[in-house]
Amino acid sequence: MIDIAAAATTRNTRSTVDYLTTTHEVLESIIDQINDGIVIASPEGKISYYNNMVRELFGLSSESPVENLKDLCGINWSRRLARAAIDAGGDYGTLVASDRTIHFEEKIHAGDSIRFLEFTIKRLFSHSRHHEVRVIVVRDVSARRRLEATLQSGGACGLISNSPEMLKVFEKARQVASSDASIMLQGESGTGKSCVARLIHEQSSRNRYPLIEVNCAAVPSTLLESEFFGHTKGAFTGAHDQRQGKFQAADHGTLLLDEIGELPLHLQAKILHAIEDRRFQMLGSNETLNVNFRLVSASNINLREAIDSNLFRADLYYRISVIPITIPPLRERISDVPLLVNHFCDDLVARGHKDNIKITKAAWQALLNYPWPGNIRELNNAVEHGVICSDNGVVDVDSLPQDIQRFGRSASVVVTLQVPETSPDKSAEENAQIIQKFELQDAMEKAHGSKTVAAQILGIDRSTLWRRMQKAGLA
Ligand SMILES: Nc1ncnc2c1ncn2[C@@H]1O[C@H](COP(=O)(O)OP(=O)(O)OP(=O)(O)O)[C@@H](O)[C@H]1O
Ligand SMILES: [Mg+2]
């Protein structure tokens, strides 16, 4: 418990004591309601306060003692803090003595299950009482980590990403999958809208039934109505047989209306009613059919602008956009480029291309500098082009599609790149250090200064990159 009452008595007034005691009780009951664990401990690790959530997060029974930080699942705090210090770019001593907030994550065994807990530690210091405490906030991020793990291993629908914006998209997709709300996916062409629609379907309870896709731009407008609702034999010239429509095919499953912005105005009212009532009639029939599907729509044009231009009905827009999800373009999540390039190379190898594909610095520069108007689809094609046109498995800038090549030769890039100054007069170790420094500078340059991306380019983790940069005098 926090020793607030003791602090109050130093002021020696009864009313202050009452006031502080009441405040203390109110605060404590609020802190007990929140979903994060909160621990207050001395620098030596002695716990003076923890809320209810702590026992739950660490899977501790009501009898287990919670007196010292080491009672919390045997986490080696000093080792963990030292690692956090390296990750944050400092040393252990400076970090623990500073007022900087420390973050780290730990995988723990809580009872029978494994949990991923995120720790945020802040040092608080009372100058008047010369008293120092650490406030530790513990959050359960297991669901997020599991989702990331699935996605990073390319499992769920082949989607991979390590950008925070995309991981938020995946997380939202997971959250909303279990509901029946209509979802609107907006994003430029090739950003992965169809893939996210598949992810939503796969994670929903409708996944035993089909996901039916209609690309509203690909079907001639005269045929769209029969594509949606189906037709009876003889309903119109050329209708030789009865044919089921996509609405009916999607019964119990998910209906994906892709490029819905291309839906002709004259059909929009009819579609709105069919979606609202989940009822429709086949062309040429008076019988009303009931269907039960989850609607996901996708568009690469801005539908609000289409509404302003009277090309899209506002009532339909609101009906289909109960949960809007926007997928960011690739140029806004450039850290995905190395990950996706590796993924597409692996894919090509799995499809029979030669193993051990290498990508030159200039080609990496082109891939990282190009703005990718066609997004991931274009990147996929560029990688395939690069590998097919590679010279003995080495993808150089000339192996890439023409539009992309000039992004690997821009003046600024050529000027900033140095050649490592190794020399036969230097020892092998010195030369190795020079080359390593060059590689680090080069990776940082390609990654536009992002350590996460640079680490991916070099195939090492971020803390190794940091250590090497420090050793090379680059940090
Ligand atoms: N995060 C990702 N990881 C791996 N591959 C991806 C990812 N996102 C998209 N892709 C791939 O990129 C291509 C384009 O994706 P998708 O068809 O889902 O884009 P889209 O936004 O629906 O495009 P359009 O607007 O043209 O319909 C597909 O081959 C898909 O597999
Ligand atoms: Mg699509």
Side-chain angles (χ1 to χ4, degrees):
M1 295 289 154
I2 308 170
D3 195 6
I4 289 179
T9 46
T10 59
R11 301 174 75 170
N12 231 0
T13 64
R14 177 95 204 127
S15 61
T16 310
V17 173
D18 288 343
Y19 170 73
L20 285 176
T21 307
T22 313
T23 310
H24 177 202
E25 279 164 10
V26 170
L27 281 175
E28 201 172 287
S29 73
I30 292 172
I31 291 171
D32 265 337
Q33 300 301 315
I34 62 179
N35 267 338
D36 293 340
I38 301 210
V39 179
I40 300 177
S42 71
E44 295 70 41
K46 192 171 174 339
I47 294 177
S48 53
Y49 174 82
Y50 62 94
N51 69 350
N52 281 339
M53 199 60 195
V54 169
R55 281 191 186 276
E56 198 173 321
L57 286 174
F58 287 87
L60 299 171
S61 68
S62 51
E63 296 83 53
S64 315
V66 183
E67 286 158 12
N68 199 290
L69 287 180
K70 65 176 168 10
D71 297 328
L72 302 179
C73 286
I75 293 173
N76 184 337
W77 291 87
S78 47
R79 201 200 65 212
R80 220 42 210 84
L81 286 173
R83 172 94 185 274
I86 292 169
D87 288 346
D91 65 79
Y92 175 67
T94 322
L95 187 71
V96 291
S98 78
D99 286 331
R100 275 171 64 179
T101 307
I102 302 171
H103 301 278
F104 63 83
E105 214 178 276
E106 191 81 28
K107 186 167 128 186
I108 63 146
H109 291 266
D112 289 334
S113 60
I114 288 184
R115 247 180 220 157
F116 293 84
L117 299 181
E118 184 183 77
F119 293 81
T120 305
I121 305 177
K122 178 93 187 141
R123 189 176 82 127
L124 293 182
F125 192 72
S126 159
H127 290 280
S128 55
R129 302 191 65 220
H130 303 293
H131 182 57
E132 183 182 323
V133 290
R134 304 230 187 281
V135 179
I136 304 168
V137 180
V138 189
R139 176 165 296 176
D140 189 351
V141 291
S142 312
R144 199 164 84 208
R145 289 292 163 255
R146 287 205 181 98
L147 178 71
E148 284 168 15
T150 330
L151 295 172
Q152 291 209 354
S153 67
C157 306
L159 275 163
I160 55 163
S161 178
N162 63 7
S163 91
E165 296 78 16
M166 272 313 279
L167 293 178
K168 272 186 217 149
V169 167
F170 297 157
E171 175 64 7
K172 190 152 184 194
R174 191 192 60 78
Q175 265 178 354
V176 301
S178 56
S179 79
D180 261 345
S182 298
I183 296 175
M184 165 59 77
L185 301 168
Q186 286 218 260
E188 290 179 13
S189 179
T191 44
K193 297 183 297 296
S194 300
C195 291
V196 173
R198 248 164 266 146
L199 181 68
I200 292 169
H201 176 69
E202 285 306 322
Q203 296 189 337
S204 75
S205 57
R206 295 177 178 269
N207 61 10
R208 285 176 295 124
Y209 295 91
L211 164 73
I212 300 291
E213 303 188 27
V214 189
N215 186 329
C216 303
V219 182
S221 66
T222 46
L223 296 181
L224 257 181
E225 197 171 345
S226 99
E227 181 79 4
F228 287 137
F229 305 130
H231 59 75
T232 56
K233 187 174 174 182
F236 50 84
T237 320
H240 301 303
D241 291 304
Q242 173 156 318
R243 189 165 165 261
Q244 193 190 52
K246 301 286 189 188
F247 273 46
Q248 204 174 348
D251 200 14
H252 301 296
T254 305
L255 178 65
L256 168 60
L257 296 185
D258 208 355
E259 306 213 30
I260 196 162
E262 302 296 327
L263 200 61
L265 257 179
H266 71 270
L267 259 186
Q268 291 179 17
K270 200 160 183 187
I271 292 288
L272 173 65
H273 288 132
I275 289 170
E276 271 182 333
D277 305 340
R278 298 286 197 265
R279 274 141 62 103
F280 66 94
Q281 289 164 346
M282 273 182 163
L283 267 67
S285 163
N286 291 325
E287 190 193 348
T288 300
L289 299 170
N290 293 305
V291 275
N292 167 2
F293 55 73
R294 154 26 111 59
L295 181 68
V296 178
S297 309
S299 174
N300 53 27
I301 61 164
N302 186 328
L303 288 180
R304 286 183 180 276
E305 283 173 15
I307 293 170
D308 293 342
S309 316
N310 293 325
L311 293 172
F312 205 82
R313 291 178 65 117
D315 48 4
L316 177 58
Y317 174 76
Y318 293 114
R319 188 77 206 136
I320 61 181
S321 310
V322 178
I323 298 177
I325 299 181
T326 301
I327 305 184
L330 186 56
R331 65 182 166 281
E332 287 175 16
R333 45 181 166 117
I334 210 72
S335 73
D336 272 353
V337 170
L339 196 70
L340 288 163
V341 169
N342 288 334
H343 172 69
F344 294 140
C345 283
D346 290 348
D347 223 35
L348 286 169
V349 171
R351 279 162 39 202
H353 281 275
K354 243 172 64 189
D355 202 354
N356 202 13
I357 298 167
K358 292 200 174 63
I359 300 176
T360 65
K361 292 183 193 86
W364 268 120
Q365 274 152 6
L367 294 170
L368 289 161
N369 289 335
Y370 185 64
W372 298 112
N375 293 290
I376 296 156
R377 183 180 292 114
E378 191 182 11
L379 176 64
N380 193 356
N381 294 342
V383 171
E384 185 157 3
H385 187 293
V387 171
I388 291 169
C389 300
S390 66
D391 187 5
N392 246 337
V394 178
V395 178
D396 198 0
V397 71
D398 295 330
S399 327
L400 297 171
Q402 254 178 5
D403 286 351
I404 304 170
Q405 289 181 9
R406 68 192 169 90
F407 287 83
R409 293 183 181 138
S410 69
S412 63
V413 170
V414 173
V415 169
T416 49
L417 261 185
Q418 305 286 319
V419 175
E421 290 162 357
T422 52
S423 136
D425 305 333
K426 293 181 174 137
S427 70
E429 198 184 332
E430 277 176 315
N431 277 333
Q433 279 171 7
I434 289 167
I435 290 172
Q436 186 165 84
K437 184 172 179 178
F438 170 75
E439 281 173 354
L440 290 165
Q441 281 172 320
D442 185 43
M444 285 298 286
E445 175 116 22
K446 278 183 208 151
H448 297 279
S450 158
K451 292 198 184 72
T452 309
V453 179
Q456 275 165 9
I457 291 172
L458 292 169
I460 54 180
D461 63 32
R462 215 174 164 277
S463 46
T464 310
L465 176 87
W466 174 254
R467 264 198 311 281
R468 287 190 192 168
M469 286 184 68
Q470 255 192 337
K471 199 169 155 210
L474 296 172

